[in-house]
Amino acid sequence: MIPLYFSVTLSFKRFLNPSMEIKEISDPLRFPDYFGVRKLFRVKDLFDARVHYGHKDGTLDPNMKPYIFGSRLGHLIFDLDKTAEMLQDALNFVAHIAYRGGIILFVSHFPQHTLIVENAAKQAGEYAHAREWDFHIFTNSEKVYNGVTRLPDLVILLSTLNPQMQEHTAVKDAAKMCIPTIGIVDTNSNPNLITYPVPGNDDSSAAIQLYCNLFRDAILLGKSKKPVVAM
């Protein structure tokens, strides 16, 4: 939450200097919610989409311990307050990338989520790779596509694992190429190479649909601000 005194001070400064809104966009860390992404969802929305459901006890990756609330009926449960905070940060970053005209790539390797992911990317005017991953898409793109290619400015991984429960190749490849990533990390995932990890269920169709809708809306918010600020 933004402190009240900060909001009042910010409003007063805007009154004195209307052009300040244009300057805000150049400093995303100072203005954490310029696009209003915190209004896109509530913790209850995460709960209703079963984002809090993790895998069974005994499958926990040690790096995911800080994001676990506890265990119920043999299944790990995410702390949705932490998930909400990290998801808001991720959405804010998405909106800034979209505002600056960056290329955003949605990535998933689970067949049951292919249409959800591809539709979200299409609605946002961005790109998706929801099929089997070619090992050289990022690291040797010029040879794969027979020419100079522009790599994405942001990769959104709806799961950081592949169907064999191994780390998705795009995670390491994006890190090698210095491409920032947002990743939904389940209890059995390693968040260390993800720029903006979002702890949550990566199996439920309801959860994937919620993530995709939120990322799509954040992208559209970022794009919608560009003509407003340019006026």
Side-chain angles (χ1 to χ4, degrees), residues 35-37 39-41 45 87-88 90-99 102 104-107 115-128 154-158 182 184 205-225:
F35 299 98
V37 297
K39 301 176 183 178
L40 292 178
F41 72 96
D45 297 326
L87 179 56
Q88 288 168 351
L91 292 172
N92 181 56
F93 187 70
V94 168
H96 278 286
I97 294 293
Y99 171 82
I104 299 174
L105 178 66
F106 288 71
V107 173
L115 289 179
I116 297 175
V117 175
E118 290 182 345
N119 285 338
K122 183 178 180 180
Q123 292 165 6
E126 296 298 336
Y127 305 88
L154 172 65
V155 175
I156 300 176
L157 293 125
L158 280 307
I182 291 172
I184 306 301
S205 294
I208 297 298
Q209 184 69 70
L210 176 63
Y211 302 139
C212 286
N213 290 347
L214 292 175
F215 290 130
R216 175 202 64 199
D217 293 346
I219 291 170
L220 295 176
L221 278 173
K223 291 181 176 180
S224 68
K225 274 281 190 178

Side-chain angles (χ1 to χ4, degrees), residues 21-37:
E21 185 171 276
I22 298 177
K23 295 178 181 179
E24 288 181 11
I25 205 68
S26 66
D27 192 356
L29 297 180
R30 184 178 176 189
F31 300 92
D33 195 20
Y34 178 81
F35 299 98
V37 297

